[in-house]
Amino acid sequence: MINEVLHTLPQVLIDGLTLGAVYAIVALGYTMVYGILELINFAHGEIFMTGAFVGTAILLTFAGVGWMASMPAVVALILVLIITSVVTGLLGMGIERVAYRPLRNAPKLITLITAIGISFLLQDIVRFIAELKKGNYILTGPSLFSGQIGIKASSVWSGFNDASVKSSFFIVIVVAVIMMVTLDFFINKTKWGMAMRAVAQDRETAALMTVNVNKVIALTFFIGSALGGATGVLFAIQYGTIDPYIGFILGLKAFTAAVLGGIGNIRGAMFGGVLLGVLEMFAAANLPVISNGILGAEYKDVFAFAILIIVLIFKPEGLFGKVSVEKV
Amino acid sequence: MKNWLSTIQQNKRLQAIIIGLYIVVTFLSLYLAQKSVVAFLLLLSSLLLLYFTTFSNRVKWLIGGFVLVVLLPFAASQGEAYQSYMEVATLVGIYIAMALGLNIVVGLAGLLDLGFVAFFALGAYTYGIFATSQANNFMPFGQYPLSGESFWVFIFIGCLVAALFGVLLGIPVLRVKGDYLAIVTLGFGEIIRIIFNNLDKPVNITNGAMGLASVQPPRLFGIDFMYPSQFYYIVLVILIAVIFAVRRLEFSKIGRAWKAVRENEIAAQAMGIHLVRTKLMAFAVGASFSGMMGVVFAAKQTFVDPTSFTLLESITILVMVILGGMGSVPGVILGAALVTILNLQVLTELTNWLNQLSLNGVINVPDALSPAKMQRFIFGIILIFFALYRPQGLLPAKNPAFDEDELKNTEGNLVNTSVQKEATQHVHLDR
């Protein structure tokens, strides 16, 4: 049994890293907003989904006009990433302005209910537009970077099976790392990043120190949503097919990753995302083997939720979070 | 306009004439018009009108009961659309009971539960498994399917199973609070659905994605309940019991404890309320209504499969509660009726009408825009709009207001103080 698990390990790690990178960046959006507003931005998964659709739409337009042939795929990718992240960033800012800002002093659960409403609204609007333009809301984008590369893992150790990698894997990892490093630099080293950390710590005091709180919150939403949208593009490129309902479950898992790493903690979210991705792929590949076929791979979603519930119950502050004391 | 309303409000006889006329007119129009959704809905809305009258509660109940038990089925039975009307009315009843269950959890106890449909699924599967030959696969004793007479017992078993799972879920989950609780219950709802979807191996318990077909219809005194017009009465009886229970619970000791927990957990704890027990109670009671209706649902549809229990259903029930007013029993009933009728009647009728128009070439509505597909859009709009502009809902919850002097004058004596008027109650979910 252990041999079987080891056989598939290289492939599991590669798939898990890809998925984990996606989770990690989406989790950043949750954790940033939570850190600053103590609000679970339910609509974040849908912003990710919108990003995937906007990116695919741009790629399809490029292909339709015939630009795809005339420019290298990497340039197209960069263009698409930039346009998409600006679009979704503005979308996130708009959502904050319309739906969250008027409720900033309202009970938390009212805001949560609005967030669920926004997420349903976005799902249906995207479905509607996609169905109107294409006749079907399940889209398949043009395939970029679809070459397969074999990795001879068996030459490292004979217990491993060979793994194969789509070349988009490298794109996903490289872009994800660039985004995360830039964000980390931005938060920790720049003036605006300092303002964000100040607002997260204490909104009123930050306001007294001449930090424009509304602007900082809008900026947080812009950055989180831009990252989410860009990740949507990466997801579309890596997995090919997208539909308006991908954002929900993925958002939930990214939220799990954020909780796992300690919500409000940026580096924790990155780590939690990668960890959750690898764990989930491991479960998907090995649950049937370990349980002798009793538990199918379908239980991988249950596995992710179970992690969420266990973490929330036994270590609600997450792996790297700070314990907070509730005051009356 | 205002003067008119106030004169009507003071004059009971005028009210009686108005409501009597209204009921007679709508009854006749439904009776004479062979197939008229509008007349059917208007007759139903006489109950709303009745709610706003100033009659005593007993009179209201009597009139309402008469309309529901006699007039509505009788008027509808004249047309060929009888069964489809009764189907709608039955589903409205089922959803009202579920929404009332969720109202206890969200509205009274202030715990946002996004996986509420899981309890409904538990009830439905409890009956579904034993009322089909499915149970033969894993039960060592007994002959299955059980006969339809067991349905009446299963209403209580479904209730108990759901309540049990409510407690089992509650024990670990209630340690997290606020928005985390929402996420965890959402995860739980999905877990239950995925498990039901995959529990066909190694032992075939739920028959997986295929679902359970041909569930035994309920049977009483040798009569099989096959048609919606018969289920209508089952649902009505259960619903009245549920409304009665909810009304009594709301103003009981536990009901006040729920509201105290909703307003401020720490303060409630300081007043000697056992937090965990109170919250578990809310989960269990809310879940049990849902489980009960799950049994009825399984028997009515004669088919159970996991696709009936998605997140969309949970959110639909939440929309009912938010629309009607959190914590308000009449509000939630109104909200549930509105959303169900919107879902089943208005959207489908609109779609048919638009299709008709497109066929005749009057306007061209693309298929993507067909209202039957716009549920999520509409629910999203309702949630956002009500959260932003009317968080108390259509019929806000009210607390009985007591006359302070009267309470003081009757020192020490346990005298039933009359409820003078109802003060508006502000729902504060935990901050």
Side-chain angles (χ1 to χ4, degrees), chain A residues 34 38-40 42 98-100 102-103 105-118 120-121 123-125 127-128 131-132 245 248-249 252 255 259 263 293-296 298-299 301-302 305-306 308-309 312-314 316 326-328, chain B residues 106 110-112 114 172-173 175-180 182-184 186-188 190-191 194-195 198-199 201-202 264 266 311-312 315 318 322 326 366-370 373-381 383-384 387-388 391 427-431:
Chain A
Y34 193 91
E38 298 214 332
L39 158 77
I40 297 175
F42 234 99
V98 174
Y100 299 153
L103 292 172
N105 294 319
K108 233 194 248 170
L109 290 196
I110 294 285
T111 329
L112 198 60
I113 288 165
T114 343
I116 297 170
I118 295 272
F120 265 52
L121 207 61
Q123 281 178 9
D124 213 56
I125 290 173
R127 174 200 61 88
F128 169 59
E131 209 173 335
L132 205 59
Y245 309 115
F248 186 74
I249 286 285
L252 211 57
F255 177 76
V259 172
I263 195 142
I294 294 173
L295 299 172
E298 301 87 3
Y299 283 101
D301 289 348
V302 173
F305 291 134
L308 171 68
I309 293 175
L312 276 182
I313 291 166
F314 293 106
E326 192 187 2
K327 291 178 208 134
V328 180
Chain B
V106 178
L111 311 161
L112 188 55
L114 295 180
V173 155
R175 295 177 53 174
V176 299
K177 55 176 101 163
D179 33 11
Y180 283 128
I183 301 275
V184 172
L186 197 159
F188 173 73
E190 287 293 292
I191 286 178
I194 296 171
I195 287 179
N198 291 301
L199 213 58
K201 56 187 181 289
N264 191 330
I266 296 169
L311 176 82
L312 185 63
I315 303 288
L318 182 69
I322 305 283
M326 280 182 283
D367 187 41
L369 198 67
S370 90
K373 288 183 179 176
M374 302 285 269
Q375 278 176 6
R376 284 168 188 262
F377 185 82
I378 295 166
F379 290 167
I381 294 273
L383 284 179
I384 297 168
L388 281 179
V427 177
H428 294 291
L429 296 167
D430 69 8
R431 284 175 186 269

Side-chain angles (χ1 to χ4, degrees), chain B residues 257-390:
Chain B
W258 284 333
K259 285 183 197 168
V261 169
R262 174 188 73 196
E263 300 301 332
N264 191 330
E265 276 188 16
I266 296 169
Q269 205 168 16
M271 301 314 280
I273 290 172
H274 196 295
L275 272 190
V276 174
R277 199 185 298 153
T278 313
K279 287 180 178 180
L280 281 184
M281 193 71 179
F283 257 73
V285 174
S288 65
F289 293 162
S290 198
M292 216 163 14
M293 280 309 181
V295 174
V296 179
F297 181 77
K300 191 185 85 62
Q301 303 293 88
T302 67
F303 178 68
V304 189
D305 82 330
T307 53
S308 324
F309 310 110
T310 53
L311 176 82
L312 185 63
E313 289 289 312
S314 292
I315 303 288
T316 309
I317 306 170
L318 182 69
V319 172
M320 294 169 183
V321 176
I322 305 283
L323 176 70
M326 280 182 283
S328 144
V329 174
V332 169
I333 295 175
L334 176 67
L338 283 181
V339 171
T340 318
I341 289 170
L342 180 82
N343 242 342
L344 294 174
Q345 286 278 316
V346 179
L347 289 185
T348 44
E349 289 287 321
L350 259 181
T351 313
N352 289 342
W353 184 65
L354 284 178
N355 284 346
Q356 207 66 46
L357 284 185
S358 331
L359 271 183
N360 297 340
V362 182
I363 43 164
N364 191 18
V365 182
D367 187 41
L369 198 67
S370 90
K373 288 183 179 176
M374 302 285 269
Q375 278 176 6
R376 284 168 188 262
F377 185 82
I378 295 166
F379 290 167
I381 294 273
I382 292 179
L383 284 179
I384 297 168
F385 182 82
F386 273 80
L388 281 179
Y389 299 110
R390 205 177 159 82

Side-chain angles (χ1 to χ4, degrees), chain A residues 102-256:
Chain A
L103 292 172
R104 203 170 286 163
N105 294 319
K108 233 194 248 170
L109 290 196
I110 294 285
T111 329
L112 198 60
I113 288 165
T114 343
I116 297 170
I118 295 272
S119 115
F120 265 52
L121 207 61
L122 273 181
Q123 281 178 9
D124 213 56
I125 290 173
V126 169
R127 174 200 61 88
F128 169 59
I129 295 173
E131 209 173 335
L132 205 59
K133 293 279 179 206
K134 287 280 164 197
N136 188 356
Y137 60 75
I138 300 172
L139 283 190
T140 308
S143 55
L144 300 168
F145 318 106
S146 55
Q148 295 277 344
I149 300 166
I151 291 185
K152 292 253 177 286
S154 53
S155 63
V156 180
W157 183 58
S158 56
F160 288 153
N161 281 0
D162 286 349
S164 78
V165 186
K166 269 174 83 179
S167 51
S168 57
F169 163 75
F170 298 106
I171 302 288
V172 172
I173 297 290
V174 167
V175 176
V177 168
I178 291 175
M179 286 201 277
M180 287 194 269
V181 169
T182 319
L183 182 75
D184 202 72
F185 175 81
F186 178 81
I187 299 273
N188 290 320
K189 295 277 151 48
T190 64
K191 207 170 158 189
W192 276 102
M194 202 200 285
M196 269 162 73
R197 281 181 288 141
V199 173
Q201 226 166 51
D202 188 330
R203 206 184 302 161
E204 269 109 46
T205 315
L208 292 175
M209 304 294 154
T210 72
V211 174
N212 187 339
V213 173
N214 278 338
K215 228 182 217 170
V216 169
I217 290 175
L219 181 74
T220 312
F221 269 87
F222 182 85
I223 294 174
S225 308
L227 289 180
T231 325
V233 178
L234 295 182
F235 182 88
I237 287 172
Q238 170 73 18
Y239 296 101
T241 311
I242 49 174
D243 71 67
Y245 309 115
I246 51 171
F248 186 74
I249 286 285
L250 194 134
L252 211 57
K253 286 183 187 159
F255 177 76
T256 307

Side-chain angles (χ1 to χ4, degrees), chain A residues 22 25 48 50-52 54-59 62 68 71 73-90 144-145 168 170-179 222-223 225-238:
Chain A
V22 171
I25 311 176
F48 160 86
T50 313
V54 170
T56 310
I58 297 171
L59 280 178
F62 279 2
M68 271 327 257
M71 67 178 144
V74 177
V75 177
L77 177 77
I78 292 171
L79 262 178
V80 170
L81 280 179
I82 290 173
I83 299 174
T84 309
S85 51
V86 169
V87 170
T88 53
L90 290 177
L144 300 168
F145 318 106
S168 57
F170 298 106
I171 302 288
V172 172
I173 297 290
V174 167
V175 176
V177 168
I178 291 175
M179 286 201 277
F222 182 85
I223 294 174
S225 308
L227 289 180
T231 325
V233 178
L234 295 182
F235 182 88
I237 287 172
Q238 170 73 18

